[in-house]
Amino acid sequence: MPRRTMIEAIRDAMDVSMERDSKVVVFGEDVGFFGGVFRVTHGLQAKYGKSRCFDAPINESGIVGSAIGMAAYGLKPCVEIQFADYMYPAYDQLTQEAARLRYRSNGDFTCPIVVRMPTGGGIFGGQTHSQSPEALFTHVSGLKTVVPSNPHDAKGLLIAAIEDPDPVIFLEPKRLYNGPFDGHHDRPVTPWSKHELGEVADGHYTVPLGKAAIRRAGSAVTVLAYGTMVYVAQAAAAETGIDAEIIDLRTLLPLDLDTIVASVRKTGRCVIVHEATLTSGFGAELSALVQENCFYHLEAPVARVAGWDTPYPHAQEWEYFPGPARVGRALIETLEA
Amino acid sequence: MLRFHVPEPEVRPGGTPDFSNVTIAGAGSVPRPEIDVDPRTIRDMAFSIIRVLNRDGEAVGPWAGLLSSEELLVGLRNMMTLRTFDARMQMAQRQGKTSFYMQHLGEEAVSCAFRKALAPGDMNFPTYRQAGLLIADGYPMVTMMNQIYSNEADPLKGRQLPIMYSSKEHGFFSISGNLATQYIQAVGWAMASAISNDSRIAAAWIGDGSTAESDFHSALVFASTYKAPVVLNVVNNQWAISTFQGIARGGSGTFAARGLGFGIPSLRVDGNDYLAVHAVAKWAAERARNNLGPTLVEYVTYRAGAHSSSDDPSAYRPKTESDAWPLGDPVMRLKNHLIKLGVWSDERHAQAEAEILDTVIAAQKEAESHGTLHAGGKPSTREMFEGVFAEMPPHLRRQRQQAGV
């Protein structure tokens, strides 16, 4: 099976979708001729023409707002916001319009759009190239939120998102674009060509939205993670020797609660890990759900390891980013509690 | 020393209404260019006002002559229907049959005449003050009232505030409470039609106040960049709740002039002149349909009624200001024109008023048989959980069960 980077896998997902369905259009800032600042849309305009893949003015509200209009017409726009940090001007269109169109019109109009956004830190991106705003989307009724962690899932989830009849926020951890990253920034990066999840089948396949994946089966503690933190959690489990069960959520909403609950009832312990800031982050929702559904099985308080409640700093990148040492400490403390 | 500038309307409550600063071109004085005109050559049209009906009720000039007297009689009836509908629903709100209503008083010509310039399949992206688009397209009044009453027959299942209609079938996009959002969506719809090599066009709608929203700018940029087949309508009714239009307009002279910087042909039209509104709308629609790109149209009118059923205009403007409005009343002006044509009379007008009132009351009775907001039938609680997504996800199913439905 061919191996692809996450960039190539996401591009392949759009290529496959555009090939299969002439209603799929791709646009955003620098997305057309140049092929995107991360090269994710490279070659699509040459292959499908400017009517299907084109550059947009620097106006996030315009990009999402026009995509909503296109979806109301009957197209399936898959648009890009250059960095998740720059989605805020489009937040009104996403939360008040895209998310509610089906509900408020009783299905008279619908909004099958996908909004792709590179997300997450670990790249010395500072305050506006590192944010993880997923909780700002999971709090909105009517949006689906997806965060892939590897090329295989990225392709299958993106095709599923494009085919989904509802608006999907597709957050791409840019730290994972070229290879998995476990938080050991002082070590060489492994490319996806050396990782089994870099195997990406040709052609059409989907990974269903709303289904988590168990990355490491274990019995001592359940770790709930997504995006880059999946690899950090794996490193932490290996380095502490703790038999953790690591769940990659893949879709935050709809959430695969069944897989989470089955795991925590088995292990009796739960550590939640995300890059985003702690307070009111998605981890709070996860923690509450675990407490509500697994209270009589819990042997220890549910722990959260997250970014600090500060803007994402530049020089202090590795003190901010929740690396394997911090996650490892949380695993040990949860086992000893 | 610097001094801070805050624009103020000329007159406040207690003062004498004064529109002497409003420059109004004579009927028939503004030329009608070809639809493929070079936008740079008609920049002055953004500062004038296209008018057809003169003081004597005659249709004059190059924008006249597009509508037959039969079509004008239909237009008059639609405007009268909207006005009667408004009056009944405003009363229904006062009687507690619904929570909220917004009238179109004085602005009936804008949406009623515009609708007749579109073709089947075209899509409007309206604000909350263009119900004339529905009336003029034959959308059932009973259905509108069912929505206003949030009753068991409400097509939107009680999920939406009154008057936030939606009808894809009638080319009327779902109304949102968030101002200006639909303006850029209209441009996107038009872009999609062009991408699909279709022939349908879109119409965007916004009020004077909401042009200050950033999505107004987004829409103009996208429409200009992609030459989208869209008519960009600005309804300048002088007031954004209590705020006079000068706060949004600033020093730009007119709202139409905003389009000039984007290279978009921009026209100003007498919004109380049914014939002028229709003629200009037709011109802009033909431009769009012939792939000549967007047109911005500013309709100069006056919000004669309160902003909404929750508003009292006497707190911020003179009570008689609407009487002093120099462009008059759209219903009266078309009525006088039709009398001048010899196809209408005061007697027939009074008779039509009575007939329309009967029709609206009959529709109201039928709607009320399905319930009003606090009495009679209402949408099921189960409907509250439906339609958030195409398929109900597990967490919503759990919540629906918790709610006992």
Side-chain angles (χ1 to χ4, degrees):
Chain A
M1 202 181 281
R3 296 208 172 188
R4 291 179 165 94
T5 67
M6 197 131 142
I7 289 169
E8 292 162 343
I10 294 167
R11 181 193 305 150
D12 194 34
M14 285 186 275
D15 191 357
V16 166
S17 300
M18 292 173 87
E19 181 86 51
R20 282 167 62 94
D21 187 349
S22 64
K23 290 183 167 58
V24 178
V25 292
V26 170
F27 64 101
E29 295 156 19
D30 303 293
V31 161
F33 182 83
F34 179 58
V37 294
F38 291 107
R39 319 306 296 146
V40 178
T41 55
H42 178 68
L44 295 178
Q45 184 177 83
K47 186 170 177 186
Y48 296 100
K50 287 199 291 185
S51 288
R52 302 281 307 281
C53 177
F54 53 91
D55 291 316
I58 302 175
N59 184 324
E60 289 76 16
S61 181
I63 290 168
V64 174
S66 62
I68 293 167
M70 288 182 193
Y73 174 92
L75 297 187
K76 291 185 171 181
C78 177
V79 301
E80 177 180 304
I81 300 293
Q82 205 158 69
F83 287 85
D85 315 62
Y86 301 133
M87 68 82 185
Y88 299 94
Y91 199 60
D92 188 30
Q93 289 286 347
L94 287 168
T95 62
Q96 311 302 299
E97 301 293 322
R100 295 189 191 160
L101 187 52
R102 177 187 294 278
Y103 188 75
R104 76 173 197 229
S105 73
N106 192 27
D108 199 21
F109 296 92
T110 61
C111 191
I113 66 171
V114 177
V115 184
R116 296 179 35 247
M117 310 178 192
T119 187
I123 56 148
F124 281 98
Q127 292 184 24
T128 57
H129 298 80
S130 307
Q131 295 174 27
S132 298
E134 61 270 14
L136 295 171
F137 299 118
T138 55
H139 191 56
V140 179
S141 308
L143 295 180
K144 293 178 178 175
T145 302
V146 177
V147 192
S149 69
N150 60 74
H152 170 270
D153 284 0
K155 178 175 172 181
L157 286 166
L158 182 54
I159 293 176
I162 291 170
E163 292 174 357
D164 195 272
D166 292 308
V168 181
I169 306 296
F170 197 83
L171 294 161
E172 302 167 3
K174 54 191 168 295
R175 177 69 228 207
L176 301 180
Y177 269 158
N178 291 302
F181 177 67
D182 63 8
H184 286 295
H185 52 94
D186 46 355
R187 296 179 196 167
V189 175
T190 318
W192 281 115
S193 59
K194 298 214 165 52
H195 195 282
E196 57 175 14
L197 289 170
E199 287 193 350
V200 177
D202 288 329
H204 180 271
Y205 71 88
T206 59
V207 171
L209 305 187
K211 288 275 174 267
I214 297 175
R215 298 295 175 203
R216 183 193 189 284
S219 58
V221 54
T222 298
V223 179
L224 304 180
Y226 49 92
T228 308
M229 287 300 129
V230 171
Y231 304 98
V232 174
Q234 285 174 335
E239 287 157 24
T240 55
I242 289 169
D243 186 23
E245 179 147 294
I246 298 170
I247 298 179
D248 177 356
L249 299 175
R250 300 200 288 198
T251 305
L252 307 188
L253 197 141
L255 183 68
D256 186 354
L257 188 61
D258 292 347
T259 297
I260 295 169
V261 169
S263 177
V264 177
R265 285 185 180 175
K266 178 179 75 178
T267 63
R269 291 176 161 82
C270 183
V271 174
I272 295 158
V273 193
H274 60 56
E275 281 185 67
T277 49
L278 179 72
T279 301
S280 302
F282 190 64
E285 179 65 26
L286 291 170
S287 176
L289 285 168
V290 166
Q291 186 273 137
E292 285 163 18
N293 289 278
C294 310
F295 185 78
Y296 297 106
H297 296 77
L298 284 173
E299 308 282 345
V302 176
R304 286 182 290 161
V305 184
W308 308 117
D309 282 339
T310 69
Y312 205 111
H314 186 247
Q316 301 91 338
E317 174 91 59
W318 305 118
E319 289 76 41
Y320 179 92
F321 185 92
R326 271 177 66 196
V327 176
R329 271 200 303 280
L331 292 177
I332 293 166
E333 283 168 13
T334 301
L335 278 190
E336 289 174 350
Chain B
M1 186 177 67
L2 295 172
R3 277 173 304 162
F4 183 56
H5 174 67
V6 180
E8 272 292 326
E10 307 256 328
V11 189
R12 287 295 192 185
T16 308
D18 180 14
F19 288 105
S20 56
N21 62 336
V22 181
T23 314
I24 296 168
S29 67
V30 178
R32 183 177 192 274
E34 296 298 317
I35 56 169
D36 60 352
V37 64
D38 179 348
R40 287 171 300 182
T41 65
I42 58 163
R43 293 172 66 91
D44 57 337
M45 294 183 78
F47 299 95
S48 192
I49 299 184
I50 297 165
R51 305 175 66 225
V52 171
L53 293 175
N54 68 14
R55 284 174 188 279
D56 299 323
E58 294 158 344
V60 296
W63 297 87
L66 266 66
L67 292 166
S68 68
S69 46
E70 288 73 25
E71 288 169 320
L72 291 174
L73 286 167
V74 169
L76 180 66
R77 182 167 282 269
N78 287 335
M79 288 199 288
M80 292 168 73
T81 303
L82 178 56
R83 187 167 291 186
T84 307
F85 182 94
D86 274 348
R88 296 295 302 186
M89 289 298 100
Q90 176 80 6
M91 203 191 305
Q93 190 277 335
R94 293 289 185 251
Q95 292 167 340
K97 292 173 180 174
T98 185
S99 62
F100 183 73
Y101 193 69
M102 298 178 101
Q103 298 191 80
H104 303 74
L105 193 64
E107 300 177 44
E108 292 89 348
V110 177
S111 52
C112 288
F114 186 90
R115 177 69 244 187
K116 296 298 186 185
L118 293 183
D122 294 341
M123 185 62 70
N124 283 287
F125 286 74
T127 76
Y128 45 67
R129 222 186 295 276
Q130 276 88 43
L133 296 169
L134 289 171
I135 298 273
D137 200 53
Y139 188 73
M141 275 189 289
V142 178
T143 313
M144 294 168 78
M145 290 168 173
N146 288 336
Q147 196 281 324
I148 290 164
Y149 287 145
S150 287
N151 64 22
E152 65 189 11
D154 174 5
L156 307 183
K157 305 296 179 189
R159 296 175 192 149
Q160 269 278 47
L161 196 68
I163 74 168
M164 304 284 186
Y165 316 106
S166 173
S167 176
K168 191 176 194 170
E169 193 191 339
H170 289 268
F172 191 97
F173 185 72
S174 158
I175 295 177
S176 167
N178 296 60
L179 297 177
T181 50
Q182 76 289 345
Y183 219 58
I184 174 67
Q185 292 165 6
V187 176
W189 196 98
M191 287 165 66
S193 187
I195 287 168
S196 309
N197 303 127
D198 197 349
S199 60
R200 293 181 288 162
I201 64 166
W205 292 88
I206 203 165
D208 46 273
S210 302
T211 60
E213 291 280 6
S214 52
D215 278 341
F216 177 69
H217 174 263
S218 302
L220 265 56
V221 173
F222 277 62
S224 168
T225 298
Y226 301 111
K227 296 194 185 308
V230 61
V231 183
L232 300 159
N233 296 314
V234 178
V235 183
N236 175 9
N237 68 13
Q238 316 300 320
W239 290 97
I241 308 184
S242 74
T243 307
F244 94 113
Q245 47 102 5
I247 292 286
R249 179 175 49 75
S252 73
T254 69
F255 291 99
R258 296 267 192 228
L260 298 180
F262 296 86
I264 298 174
S266 303
L267 282 58
R268 263 177 120 220
V269 57
D270 178 346
N272 292 7
D273 180 339
Y274 187 92
L275 286 79
V277 168
H278 175 266
V280 171
K282 194 89 184 162
W283 188 86
E286 277 176 24
R287 270 181 48 77
R289 215 178 301 284
N290 283 284
N291 215 38
L292 295 164
T295 308
L296 190 147
V297 183
E298 176 187 345
Y299 303 87
V300 182
T301 183
Y302 185 85
R303 195 196 79 211
H307 165 70
S308 74
S309 56
S310 309
D311 175 49
D312 174 15
S314 69
Y316 51 80
R317 68 183 190 189
K319 273 183 177 163
T320 56
E321 194 175 83
S322 68
D323 300 334
W325 175 241
L327 295 177
D329 174 81
V331 173
M332 293 310 290
R333 284 176 67 192
L334 183 55
K335 175 194 165 194
N336 291 339
H337 174 59
L338 289 165
I339 291 174
K340 195 91 183 174
L341 287 179
V343 298
W344 201 239
S345 65
D346 282 321
E347 296 71 42
R348 289 173 73 178
H349 193 82
Q351 192 187 342
E353 270 179 338
E355 282 167 16
I356 288 167
L357 182 60
D358 284 349
T359 313
V360 175
I361 288 173
Q364 193 178 2
K365 275 191 181 144
E366 186 181 338
E368 289 178 9
S369 75
H370 297 292
T372 58
L373 181 60
H374 300 298
K378 59 180 282 188
S380 89
T381 309
R382 218 181 148 85
E383 283 294 347
M384 184 167 70
F385 295 95
E386 298 285 346
V388 181
F389 298 95
E391 202 175 315
M392 192 175 293
H395 71 284
L396 271 179
R397 213 173 310 129
R398 282 192 297 274
Q399 290 173 29
R400 193 187 69 194
Q401 284 158 4
Q402 281 169 16
V405 291

